[in-house]
Amino acid sequence: MNGIRYVAVAGQVVVVAAGAPLLTGWMRQVRARLEGRAGAGVFQPWRDTRKLLRKEPITPVGTGPAFRAAPALLVATTVVAAALVPLLSTDTPVSGHADLIVVVALIALGTLALALAGLDTGTAFGGMGASREMTVAALVEPTILLSVFALSIPAGTTNIPAIVSGAVHQPARLASPAGLLAVAALAVAVLAETGRIPVDNPSTHLELTMIHEAMVLEYAGPDLALVELGAQMRLTLLLGLLSSLFVPWGIATGVSWAALAVALVAFAAKLLLLGAVLATAEVFWAKVRLFRVPELLAGSFLLALLAVTASYFLNGAS
Amino acid sequence: MSVIPAALATATGLGGAGALAGLGLPRGLRVPVAGVLTAGVGAAGCAAGVAALGGSRWTAYCSGLLPLAGAHVAVDALAGLFMAVAGAVVAAVAVYGIGYAAGHGARGLGSRTAQAVLPLFALTLVLVPVAASVSTFLLLWELMALSSLLLVLAEHRERPSVRQAGVWYAVMTHLGLMLLLAGLAWFAGQAGGETFAALRAGAHGISSTVRGTVFVLVALAFTSKAGTLPLHAWLPLAHPEAPSPVSALMSTAMVNLGIYGVVRTGFDLLGGGPPWWWLGLLAVGGISAVYGILQAAMASDLKRLLAYSTSENMGLVLIGIGASGLFASYGNRPLAALALVAALLHVVNHAAFKALLFCAAGSVLRATGLRDLDRLGGLRARMPATAGFFALAALGAVALPPGNGFISEWLLLQSVIHGLQVPGVAVAVVLPLAVALIALSAGIAAAVFVKALGVGFFARPRDERAAEAREAPPLMLAGMGLLAVGIAALAVVPGLLGDGLDRAVGAAGLPGSGALTGGGLKVRLADISARLSPLWVVAALTAAILLAVALPRVHGRRRRRVNARLWDCGGGAPTPRMAYTATSFAEPLQRVFDDVLAPEQDVDVTPVRESAYLVERVRFQHRVPDRIEHRLYEPVLGFLAGAGRAARRLAGGSVHLYLGYGFAGLVVLMSVLAVGW
């Protein structure tokens, strides 16, 4: 039965890599419809990626190895994280090593690589994007780790498959105040980490507001395709992580083809729903001023701290 | 004859020979000979330390070496760990130092004094953990402080700021010595003996008030040496001004000895204590970690940035030590051992990456004469090896995989997270905060090192001197290469250190936890199932990178990469002045932490004389001073200066007055003696 386990890991990676552009297309389509536009269709990000991959690779003069390596590193960290996080199955060959702190750190590594690439161009935009991105990242990290802390207290471990399968078998854990507070905190952190409204606007090129786009302005062709794919995969992965942690039902906890198929369907449904909710929210929200973002993050940090304290007192009493 | 005494004797001999060589040899020979001998001191010290980590122990007593008490020496695994780290760093930095000093001529580090003192400093770094009595320890400690002070002052002819830094360092280090002397002497007096064995035996019979006071005094002294708040002010002043190899040694091997002191006295000699000791250490560590890294984020002086980062890392280590003591005081010894392993591993990791960072900063300084990040840039093309070394060490410092710092921070987080098994309201309140502080410092550290690497080494040069930089000479690169190999080994196979760390923790009085095992990294505790294999992470990342690189190749038609102009939103060719500087990079973070950092801004507008509306000159000044330095020390300094001025009136120049003082003094003395006090 070991074959299924390997298929499960490969499946997670493939689903994230291939599904990421579709999820982005779906979210854009939902937004377009809500704004009264026809939209470009769900497959447009796919078509964009294919088009970019066919163009000639370009190196701007004055950039160095960091600029060249960053897109591949961004995608690579996301792929490794996607293999670790239990999206389809909690029982995989790597599940023993699927530590939540490692996943958070891998995602941060991708952010850092892109920020270095932004600085490497030596343009004002690159530096600006890198500076803003690192500021947000520095403030997001404590929130994520504290939510992790809150979640790992009832499970007694930071191993994600253990947390998830524990939650599948004991749903009461999720409905506890600690769980809900942690969801709220982690959701804000995910919005910040993936560069969505209200922290960053993914569809703007306006210099006053952009964070992520400013860093990657110099990329073109296949490099840009990788950067875009990396960003889309991170969104998929983090939404998937959120769904695995807080709505874990459907994820295969054993080894059988049927469970895996159910997990795939459930995962797709959860992501489509989450994506639609996020896209709808983005239609009604405005982007927050850059210097109001820390207040938002501080709020989510506080929620995470409350989650930990609540988790401790609720679990410690029993 | 066992390895340890032989290696220690070799180290002492080489250190003495090095000092003589530094004093006696002519200029051309001085630097290489003293450097090689210093490297020998390091290698011998490292060998002794590794032997001790391997399980050998050694004690000796030389009655004739010191008057009255004699010299007690002992080597156990805890001492061995710090000796091995110090020795390894000394050996690599000494090789680097030969190349560094050779370019300087007879001044600075190449001078007769500096070359004679350097081997002695190296020797004391290796020998301090060997001391096994209060007098021996204090003597070596003071020798270390004095020799490092002389080395800090090595470049005093070049820059006047060196002198100020030297005065600060001298005062602070001796303040620390006074606290240490008071604490240890009182401890020895109460315990009825000054050897560590007597202290260990007598510690349980001492009243808790005395134990607490001793711990506070000693911990203050040692944390000041480790560069953590509130007595950290010497560190960001002295480290940038010292020659780079010296900063590398001070920022790794010397601050480590502060940690050694805390562990040795807190766990081993005093045998643990009540929770408030450890909560205090945790608080000091947490505040230092965040405050240090925030100051590093604001610093645009590369070496000052690294010095503040040392303050941060030592803060993290103190969090581990504090957590360990806290768990031990509540009786959870396996978890206490795990936390201490994490702290000690972080000491090792920090020594490796910080030494390399300082060495790389030193080569930049030597090649360009600049420490100011705002004026550097573009060095990756001109100094590729140095830039590569800096990047490798920075990866260790940001605590992200696959860097070496990640592993110890991961262990630290694991031990703190699982610490909630320990009952107690204090634990429940403090540990979440500790996690938050560790995470916040890790997050800001990422921004700090992106700034240092991205602004300092990438983009384009902002100064002519940076544009004309040349790669460091081979010996400097060799020294950095040694450190880089160490970092890579620590990052990929930290498990090799496992048994040694277990023994070191055992020597501190906590049973080993088996936290690290050979090859991979595994935490094995009753209720914890956490695993991490750095080797696998590296392998997986490499495979994924290859996959990502292959993707465009498979899909698109294969083409050569084409060079093109930077687009910059159509703005045309950007000049270096348009690039982000370190100051502008840190500006958003500075705004976020405005209340903590309290930056000072000054706008000076000078209008033309005829009209208030025409401006002749606008001067803008902006700086982020070390707030604690100002708030805490300036009042004290002001008071001392005032007292000095007031005391001047006592000596008015009148002979009658002086005779009066003498007479009054005699009368008071006589009456005190007569009363028989």
Side-chain angles (χ1 to χ4, degrees):
Chain A
M1 294 303 271
N2 245 347
I4 300 183
R5 294 200 173 95
Y6 285 102
V7 169
V9 174
Q12 287 181 179
V13 174
V14 170
V15 163
V16 169
L22 296 182
L23 178 68
T24 307
W26 162 250
M27 287 173 66
R28 285 189 195 156
Q29 191 63 30
V30 169
R31 275 189 74 164
R33 284 295 159 88
L34 284 173
E35 287 167 357
R37 295 183 282 122
V42 175
F43 290 95
Q44 189 56 37
W46 256 118
R47 291 192 281 267
D48 288 343
T49 307
R50 214 181 56 204
K51 180 186 74 184
L52 286 173
L53 280 176
R54 283 188 182 158
K55 297 198 171 213
E56 61 183 3
I58 286 178
T59 307
V61 174
T63 58
F67 183 81
R68 293 272 302 273
L73 198 59
L74 178 71
V75 173
T77 50
T78 319
V79 164
V80 175
L84 290 178
V85 175
L87 299 173
L88 299 181
S89 166
T90 58
D91 187 15
T92 63
V94 293
S95 58
H97 299 281
D99 191 273
L100 204 37
I101 300 173
V102 175
V103 169
V104 172
L106 279 173
I107 292 169
L109 184 66
T111 309
L112 191 134
L114 216 53
L116 277 174
L119 280 172
D120 196 23
T121 59
T123 60
F125 282 116
M128 184 180 73
S131 161
R132 292 176 176 179
E133 178 92 351
M134 289 318 293
T135 306
V136 171
L139 299 173
V140 168
E141 189 151 341
T143 308
I144 297 190
L145 278 181
L146 268 186
S147 326
V148 168
F149 191 9
L151 293 170
S152 62
I153 290 171
T157 174
T158 53
N159 184 275
I160 318 174
I163 296 174
V164 170
S165 55
V168 169
H169 298 304
Q170 284 177 295
R173 274 186 197 172
L174 296 168
S176 71
L180 294 176
L181 285 168
V183 181
L186 203 57
V188 176
V190 166
L191 288 182
E193 190 72 27
T194 52
R196 309 297 301 191
I197 285 177
V199 174
D200 187 7
N201 190 344
S203 55
T204 178
H205 278 184
L206 188 65
E207 58 266 32
L208 289 177
T209 61
M210 62 188 172
I211 300 178
H212 176 82
E213 288 298 325
M215 278 194 301
V216 301
L217 272 179
E218 295 298 329
Y219 280 111
D223 287 339
L224 182 60
L226 281 183
V227 169
E228 295 273 319
L229 184 66
Q232 291 162 357
M233 281 171 68
R234 282 164 64 114
L235 178 65
T236 314
L237 174 69
L238 282 167
L239 289 184
L241 178 65
L242 211 56
S243 72
S244 288
L245 286 174
F246 300 111
V247 244
W249 298 284
I251 294 177
T253 50
V255 277
S256 79
W257 291 105
L260 212 55
V262 170
L264 185 61
V265 173
F267 178 66
K270 280 186 271 185
L271 271 200
L272 288 181
L273 187 67
L274 261 179
V277 169
L278 183 54
T280 314
E282 283 188 332
V283 172
F284 293 101
W285 280 343
K287 190 194 162 298
V288 173
R289 258 184 75 208
L290 181 67
F291 290 107
R292 298 293 296 276
V293 169
E295 293 172 19
L296 184 74
L297 296 178
S300 76
F301 174 75
L302 219 61
L303 286 181
L305 199 62
L306 278 176
V308 173
T309 319
S311 185
Y312 176 74
F313 284 109
L314 294 179
N315 287 286
S318 60
Chain B
M1 189 166 175
S2 84
V3 182
I4 298 176
L8 285 179
T10 316
T12 315
L14 289 176
L20 289 178
L23 265 185
L25 288 177
R27 198 164 64 180
L29 282 173
R30 185 158 69 211
V31 169
V33 173
V36 168
L37 290 173
T38 310
V41 171
C46 188
V50 169
L53 282 179
S56 339
R57 300 169 75 92
W58 178 67
T59 48
Y61 171 59
C62 322
S63 59
L65 207 58
L66 287 179
L68 296 178
H72 289 266
V73 289
V75 178
D76 59 6
L78 182 63
L81 179 74
F82 284 87
M83 284 163 69
V85 172
V89 171
V90 162
V93 171
V95 173
Y96 168 91
I98 300 172
Y100 187 86
H104 270 232
R107 297 176 107 191
L109 192 62
S111 72
R112 197 176 289 275
T113 332
Q115 284 300 316
V117 172
L118 188 62
L120 288 181
F121 179 49
L123 185 63
T124 53
L125 288 177
V126 171
L127 285 187
V128 165
V130 177
S133 69
V134 172
S135 51
T136 323
F137 184 81
L138 286 175
L139 186 79
L140 284 168
W141 187 261
E142 179 57 13
L143 265 179
M144 176 179 82
L146 279 182
S147 53
S148 58
L149 175 61
L150 285 175
L151 288 170
V152 167
L153 289 170
E155 289 175 356
H156 69 101
R157 277 176 225 265
E158 272 99 70
R159 296 184 304 276
S161 49
V162 174
R163 290 174 211 192
Q164 194 211 349
V167 171
W168 271 91
Y169 179 46
V171 171
M172 298 289 292
T173 190
H174 284 94
L175 202 65
L177 183 75
M178 270 164 53
L179 292 171
L180 199 58
L181 193 61
L184 286 181
W186 198 13
F187 187 15
Q190 295 281 330
E194 64 113 29
T195 62
F196 282 1
L199 293 183
R200 217 170 277 142
H204 298 289
I206 301 175
S207 80
S208 61
T209 327
V210 177
R211 276 161 55 99
T213 319
V214 166
F215 180 77
V216 169
L217 286 173
V218 170
L220 265 178
F222 283 132
T223 53
S224 119
K225 188 57 94 183
T228 50
L229 296 180
L231 299 178
H232 70 295
W234 64 273
L235 188 117
L237 290 169
H239 286 203
E241 299 300 345
S244 300
V246 177
S247 342
L249 287 181
M250 286 174 68
S251 205
T252 55
M254 195 173 80
V255 296
N256 282 355
L257 292 176
I259 299 298
Y260 167 76
V262 172
V263 176
R264 177 64 83 190
T265 46
F267 287 97
D268 185 19
L269 299 182
L270 287 165
W276 68 263
W277 293 13
W278 309 107
L279 287 173
L281 270 189
L282 252 172
V284 165
I287 295 170
S288 294
V290 171
Y291 188 79
I293 201 66
L294 262 180
Q295 289 291 341
M298 296 306 124
S300 60
D301 178 330
L302 182 54
K303 285 176 77 176
R304 193 173 158 87
L305 179 152
L306 295 179
Y308 271 121
S309 147
T310 300
S311 195
E312 180 230 350
N313 281 292
M314 290 300 119
L316 293 178
V317 171
L318 281 187
I319 290 180
I321 293 175
S324 171
L326 196 61
F327 300 154
S329 69
Y330 282 109
N332 192 336
R333 293 172 81 83
L335 211 49
L338 176 64
L340 196 57
V341 164
L344 292 180
L345 185 63
H346 197 66
V347 165
V348 178
N349 281 331
H350 170 255
F353 68 67
K354 191 51 65 66
L356 185 52
L357 283 169
F358 265 112
C359 287
S363 0
V364 170
L365 178 61
R366 189 174 174 279
T368 63
L370 293 171
R371 296 196 316 238
D372 190 356
L373 283 172
D374 287 347
R375 311 178 73 179
L376 288 169
L379 294 174
R380 58 150 154 57
R382 290 158 191 86
M383 308 176 73
T386 303
F389 285 135
F390 192 90
L392 177 71
L395 182 62
V398 295
L400 293 179
N404 61 343
F406 173 70
I407 295 154
S408 41
E409 280 202 27
W410 181 80
L411 265 180
L412 189 61
L413 277 173
Q414 287 288 354
S415 65
V416 175
I417 285 177
H418 288 95
L420 284 186
Q421 297 165 353
V422 177
V425 175
V427 176
V429 174
V430 166
L431 291 189
L433 283 176
V435 170
L437 291 177
I438 296 171
L440 187 60
S441 71
I444 301 175
V448 167
F449 285 95
V450 164
K451 176 179 94 166
L453 187 63
V455 176
F457 290 84
F458 292 171
R460 279 179 292 282
R462 300 179 193 82
D463 191 294
E464 275 177 25
R465 284 173 286 177
E468 287 157 12
R470 271 185 299 164
E471 186 56 276
L475 267 177
M476 286 168 72
L477 293 181
M480 289 195 274
L482 286 176
L483 289 168
V485 170
I487 290 177
L490 283 171
V492 180
V493 281
L496 296 180
L497 273 178
D499 292 343
L501 281 173
D502 262 1
R503 286 199 191 92
V505 170
L510 296 166
S513 63
L516 294 150
T517 47
L521 176 75
K522 284 174 192 160
V523 179
R524 283 209 227 106
L525 285 170
D527 304 322
I528 300 179
S529 59
R531 273 193 292 165
L532 173 69
S533 285
L535 203 57
W536 278 110
V537 172
V538 174
L541 269 180
T542 318
I545 287 174
L546 290 178
L547 201 73
V549 170
L551 177 69
R553 304 257 161 111
V554 172
H555 191 85
R557 283 155 285 176
R558 288 191 61 181
R559 291 195 194 181
R560 233 162 23 88
R561 290 188 83 90
V562 182
N563 285 334
R565 263 178 49 189
L566 275 169
W567 176 53
D568 198 26
C569 273
T575 64
R577 270 183 63 86
M578 289 156 71
Y580 251 50
T581 62
T583 312
S584 46
F585 185 88
E587 204 264 355
L589 262 182
Q590 180 222 304
R591 277 211 204 188
V592 174
F593 292 99
D594 232 357
D595 294 338
V596 183
L597 293 166
E600 292 171 3
Q601 291 199 81
D602 246 354
V603 185
D604 243 358
V605 183
T606 319
V608 178
R609 196 173 299 163
E610 290 86 45
S611 157
Y613 300 105
L614 295 173
V615 175
E616 188 185 341
R617 194 165 59 104
V618 179
R619 220 182 72 195
F620 175 78
Q621 253 192 336
H622 176 94
R623 50 189 218 107
V624 187
D626 188 331
R627 207 175 174 193
I628 293 184
E629 193 182 311
H630 283 243
R631 290 286 159 84
L632 192 65
Y633 298 119
E634 271 176 7
V636 176
L637 290 180
F639 172 76
L640 287 179
R645 271 194 298 278
R648 231 184 269 162
R649 265 179 251 150
L650 290 175
S654 150
V655 179
H656 298 102
L657 195 61
Y658 298 159
L659 282 174
Y661 289 153
F663 180 66
L666 194 66
V667 167
V668 170
L669 188 65
M670 290 294 222
S671 41
V672 165
L673 287 178
V675 172
W677 174 46

